[in-house]
Amino acid sequence: MATLMPENQSAAKPRRRWRFALIAIYFTKVLDSLPKRIVKKSIPEMSTGSYVSIQIQNANKDDNSGHDELVLSFDNVDQRMLIDMVRDKDYERLHQFGGAKQLAELLQTEEKHGINGDEADLIRRRNVFGSNEYTKPPRKGFLSFVLEASKDTTIIILLICAALSLGFGIKEEGPREGWYDGGSIIVAIVLIVAVSSISNFRQSGQFRKFSNESSDIRVQVVRQGRRQPVSIFGLVVGDIVFLNIGDQVPADGLFLEGHSLKVDESSMTGESDPVEINEKDNRFLFSGTKVSDGFGTMLVTSVGMNTAWGEMMSSIRRDLDEQTPLQARLDKLASTIGKLGLAVAVMVLVVLFIRYFTGNIEDDSGKKEFNGSKTRIDDLMNSIVHLVSAAVTVLVIAIPEGLPMAVTLTLAYSMRRMMTDQALVRKLSACETMGSVTTICTDKTGTLTLNKMKVVEFWLENEVVKDETYRGIAPNVVELLKQGVGLNTTGSVCKQPSMLVPEISGSPTETAILTWAVVDLGMDIDEQKLSFEILRVEAFNSQKKRSGVLVNRVTDKTIHIHWKGAAEIILAMCSHCYNKSGIVEEISDEKRVHFGGIIRGMAAKSLRCIAFAYKQTQQEKLEETGMILLGLVGLKDPCRPRVRRAVEACRDAGVNVKMITGDNIFTAKAIAMECGILKPDEDFNNAVVEGVTFRNYSHDERMDKIDVIRVMARSSPFDKLLMVQSLKKKGHVVAVTGDGTNDAPALKEADIGLSMGIQGTEVAKESSDIVILDDNFASVVTVLKWGRCVYNNLQKFIQFQLTINVAALGINFVAAIASGKVPLTAVQLLWVNLIQDTFAALALATEQPTNDLLSKPPIGRSKPLITNIMWRNLISQALFQISVLLILQYKGRSIFGINEKVNNTLIFNTFVLCQVFNEFNARNMDKKNKLFFKGLLKNRLFVGIIGITIALQVMMVEFLEKFANTERLDWGQWGFCVGLAALSWPIDWLVKCLPVSAK
């Protein structure tokens, strides 16, 4: 139903004629809809009256113009009606709009040319109908991270101790002097919580940003007559979108035209069976569903939050805090160390209590701190608070709280850097798992090759046709080839008056064939489509490796069949062939063998061979036998420039590379040799296998040969899945590349699924863990390097942190047992905790990958997190630090002639400087640090953090004596501390000379 809006002012005679015409149309529509209303009384009344505003304006106000222009506006189109129409699959409302094509006109969309698409048009459509973006839950605020960091049990205990110490201190010494002990602990705690919260807040923002980037997909639309890719977020109501197998439906809309289109609506309805979309039974398409078969175009009617998917997405937040397997292992490690630290802290507390209450602890003046009943309650409570605080700080230094932060930092850093290296991480666990990969199963097209195809050979019967000999081909053969290309394609040819060369779009294969037909054969695709009516289409898929079309010629109503696909498959469908003169000849056995030789010859030159076949028929059935072969084309897709070097890098890293392709066995061999996957002296009988042979192996036979196979040709998606499953059963950690919808099972089954960002379908991307943005195998090797770097950086930090834990526990435990006092105070240990938890994590977790990482064997599934090499390094450094600090604890005063406070400052200063020098040792765990600064300038953050740590340590000792409970040191004492700490370098060099079993 349409409602006429009142006109402005009185209309002239031409406008009266328009008004009478519209009134007549209106009453006709009312009368037409009355019988339907009587029959369909059960249809509920719509909540909003439907109306379409048609503004009739005089385009030329000059009365002498002689004509008026009808200008349509959708400013007042009922948006709710559009939304409900698609959501409810309501044909009644669609009929009230006049059908899909009439609705397109109301939305100012031309079926062939799309919307205007200029900036003003896009802004107007977004203002009226909204943008194609989903409202997301608000980001966690900074205060929530502060609250999470403050909930730590040890932090709470320390705050209680600090509050008690602050209270007793002020009571005893007054506000001016009594706040130092308790206040210092509070300041240190605030600093730790603040640094931790800021770091986690920033990483959360980065993960959210990566989530947004992974959601930004490209869709093909037509605007101003040009087919072009746009961001899914840039889609507007009225856009015409092209849909192919594997695409995600980007918005709610209506089917316009296409063939064999089927959509997986399981994400919306839960039903796993594909839903057929066509003009007659079901035109409605929902955002978020996936195209499982066929192709077509759709008219966008609702976007963003106005779609059913938008409402669902607004209530779902992607889990950005997912815990990776390595994080789980580190949590378990931290828990074990924490329990050990708790046991030590309890023992220290018990020993301190025993020594205190037995009168074996003295104050600074040498008097016993506890004198039985003579001890004041205030003194007693103050002493107990100090003892508990000392025990709790032992626990603080024992718990490796920096481990989760180190994982977060290194994952966030690696994700950001991998993005610049053409890899978008969709799952955090992929960053670390990639370092364990032992086998990579890769596609050929676009991954090992450039995916820039070009027709370089054309064979007609037994003769190759050169550029200058195209004129010698019979006109009827040329015409059939034009039909076979122009009608049986999912690509498009756009000819603009301002363009000298037509703009051709589609898949690389379709683009190459269309370019050949337009340039060499002189094909006009619009003429072909106007001359024929398409009756049925079988879309190309990776299993059948062919596509077909059944058409009806408009002029004589004759029915024709055209097939296109893999040469040997099309050849098997043919019984006859055309020669150059346009005469049909039977394909004899000898000629069939000859055609097979032509196909193998092109394959040996790394060409993809495509055949065209034709047949005229009487039945409206897409027949597959008795076809006439039109010709063969060879498409060249050159190998990527760096792919051979990348394959060799994988082999040096102990990673096997297997090529799985749909091409025939000869093309697969040629490409594999060109890329370095196969070597000339290799036994091809065992290294190369076809998919059908592989799937027909027995289980035992397959497991025996799986490690030897390098290339699998003519493979189906099931063969790829079977390969992945077999490799995993053999204990391999498998990475798989894929770009098609049918690759989704293999991508999900693999330990790491790598989808292609350019040619990959949205189904493949959603099934993958990492998206390779440039479709380049060299980027896969870069991801492998980053995966090993993540694991290696975390191991460096674990070694560094455990060294501090062991050394601090050892010195405080021995000192507490022996003398009843701990040399490292609460504030000092909290400062060390800040060094190890935050600064060291930043310094070591952001080391960049080096080529040395690819010279090591894969980590595999079962290798322990803390290796024997790490144990060797950390135990040696911890023993060195404990020995030095204990000597200073008991002999320092007599050696240097200093008081206890200066001696404790020497111990604290030497301990911190030992960690600074040990950070350099941790940069390379298994090699002697002959060049301590090798590659140091590449990590400026490391240099900066070392500088900040030293500067803050100088401040702690020289300027914050009361805060840190230290005394100022002279130049000689500073030199002694630095020299003593620097001994960790030669000790590390000597220790790394000791051989350690890798097992």
Side-chain angles (χ1 to χ4, degrees), residues 427-448:
K427 295 181 182 177
L428 286 180
S429 57
C431 290
E432 63 198 44
T433 309
M434 197 64 195
S436 304
V437 165
T438 59
T439 301
I440 298 175
C441 298
T442 178
D443 287 337
K444 175 187 75 71
T445 305
T447 307
L448 298 174

Side-chain angles (χ1 to χ4, degrees), residues 207 319-332 404 407-408 411 427-430 432-433:
F207 290 147
D319 185 12
L320 301 178
D321 301 321
E322 58 175 310
Q323 189 178 52
T324 69
L326 187 56
Q327 283 176 322
R329 292 175 70 182
L330 289 176
D331 283 350
K332 187 175 179 181
V407 177
T408 305
L411 288 177
K427 295 181 182 177
L428 286 180
S429 57
E432 63 198 44
T433 309

Side-chain angles (χ1 to χ4, degrees), residues 85-228:
M85 176 188 68
V86 175
R87 184 176 302 174
D88 301 336
K89 295 188 176 183
D90 192 337
Y91 266 98
E92 177 67 20
R93 293 179 182 176
L94 180 59
H95 176 73
Q96 289 166 8
F97 276 115
K101 295 186 179 180
Q102 182 64 32
L103 178 58
E105 291 181 11
L106 291 173
L107 294 173
Q108 299 186 28
T109 301
E110 293 186 34
E111 189 176 353
K112 299 299 181 185
H113 294 85
I115 63 174
N116 185 332
D118 60 19
E119 192 62 31
D121 183 36
L122 295 177
I123 291 173
R124 188 161 59 100
R125 290 175 186 273
R126 290 193 184 102
N127 289 337
V128 175
F129 300 108
S131 59
N132 198 30
E133 295 181 354
Y134 305 131
T135 303
K136 296 184 178 180
R139 178 183 173 184
K140 286 174 65 176
F142 176 71
L143 289 178
S144 64
F145 288 97
V146 174
L147 188 61
E148 285 178 12
S150 303
K151 286 180 179 178
D152 186 81
T153 307
T154 54
I155 294 292
I156 293 172
I157 294 173
L158 275 174
L159 280 171
I160 294 171
C161 292
L164 291 173
S165 178
L166 188 65
F168 287 121
I170 292 174
K171 183 178 179 181
E172 285 186 3
E173 303 178 26
R176 190 177 185 85
E177 301 289 337
W179 70 274
Y180 284 119
D181 286 346
S184 300
I185 297 174
I186 291 174
V187 170
I189 291 171
V190 168
L191 187 61
I192 288 175
V193 169
V195 171
S196 175
S197 302
I198 291 170
S199 175
N200 289 333
F201 180 71
R202 288 188 63 224
Q203 306 319 320
S204 172
Q206 288 183 0
F207 290 147
R208 190 179 180 91
K209 178 184 175 184
F210 287 129
S211 175
N212 293 337
E213 288 174 347
S214 65
S215 302
D216 185 7
I217 62 177
R218 310 295 289 178
V219 293
Q220 292 282 333
V221 301
V222 58
R223 292 178 179 173
Q224 297 180 342
R226 289 182 61 245
R227 181 169 173 171
Q228 54 191 285

Side-chain angles (χ1 to χ4, degrees), residues 625-638:
T625 57
M627 304 298 297
I628 304 172
L629 183 67
L630 293 174
L632 307 168
V633 293
L635 284 74
K636 180 67 175 177
D637 186 11

Side-chain angles (χ1 to χ4, degrees), residues 402 405-406 409-410 797 835-846 945:
M405 181 183 291
L409 285 169
T410 192
F797 177 73
I835 294 175
Q836 70 170 18
D837 278 2
T838 307
F839 292 167
L842 279 168
L844 295 173
T846 55
I945 285 172

Side-chain angles (χ1 to χ4, degrees), residues 626-690:
M627 304 298 297
I628 304 172
L629 183 67
L630 293 174
L632 307 168
V633 293
L635 284 74
K636 180 67 175 177
D637 186 11
C639 284
R640 290 183 179 272
R642 295 187 297 157
V643 71
R644 189 178 186 90
R645 195 186 315 160
V647 170
E648 289 174 355
C650 285
R651 187 177 288 115
D652 293 340
V655 178
N656 297 316
V657 179
K658 300 181 186 295
M659 186 178 82
I660 303 176
T661 177
D663 285 335
N664 67 46
I665 197 166
F666 304 103
T667 304
K669 282 181 185 177
I671 292 290
M673 290 184 67
E674 193 175 343
C675 295
I677 295 173
L678 285 178
K679 295 181 179 179
D681 57 349
E682 203 161 359
D683 182 6
F684 289 172
N685 292 327
N686 292 322
V688 183
V689 67
E690 288 191 328

Side-chain angles (χ1 to χ4, degrees), residues 437-592:
V437 165
T438 59
T439 301
I440 298 175
C441 298
T442 178
D443 287 337
K444 175 187 75 71
T445 305
T447 307
L448 298 174
T449 61
L450 287 170
N451 211 12
K452 294 181 179 178
M453 294 192 179
K454 181 182 179 181
V455 174
V456 295
E457 282 190 18
F458 171 49
W459 287 77
L460 190 60
E461 198 186 21
N462 59 354
E463 183 180 350
V464 62
V465 181
K466 303 292 184 183
D467 292 343
E468 62 274 8
T469 59
Y470 273 97
R471 295 178 183 177
I473 304 174
N476 63 324
V477 177
V478 173
E479 187 59 33
L480 288 172
L481 284 168
K482 290 179 183 178
Q483 294 172 17
V485 175
L487 300 173
N488 187 12
T489 182
T490 56
S492 64
V493 180
C494 177
K495 293 185 290 185
Q496 297 280 1
S498 59
M499 295 165 54
L500 296 175
V501 181
E503 185 176 348
I504 299 174
S505 57
S507 70
T509 303
E510 293 285 4
T511 302
I513 293 174
L514 284 170
T515 302
W516 167 71
V518 169
V519 175
D520 292 343
L521 302 181
M523 180 191 72
D524 186 335
I525 194 169
D526 293 330
E527 179 185 333
Q528 297 296 332
K529 291 186 175 181
L530 289 172
S531 303
F532 291 87
E533 176 192 359
I534 296 178
L535 303 177
R536 187 181 170 193
V537 172
E538 182 172 309
F540 179 88
N541 63 58
S542 56
Q543 289 180 321
K544 293 187 176 181
K545 304 187 187 304
R546 65 185 184 188
S547 63
V549 61
L550 182 72
V551 296
N552 181 17
R553 193 195 298 270
V554 175
T555 54
D556 57 11
K557 302 300 180 183
T558 54
I559 299 174
H560 305 259
I561 300 171
H562 284 278
W563 283 100
K564 174 184 71 180
E568 64 268 30
I569 293 175
I570 298 298
L571 179 61
M573 298 165 60
C574 297
S575 57
H576 294 75
C577 67
Y578 273 104
N579 63 19
K580 194 173 181 180
S581 302
I583 300 171
V584 177
E585 298 178 352
E586 185 178 358
I587 300 178
S588 62
D589 292 341
E590 183 182 350
K591 191 171 286 189
R592 192 174 295 275

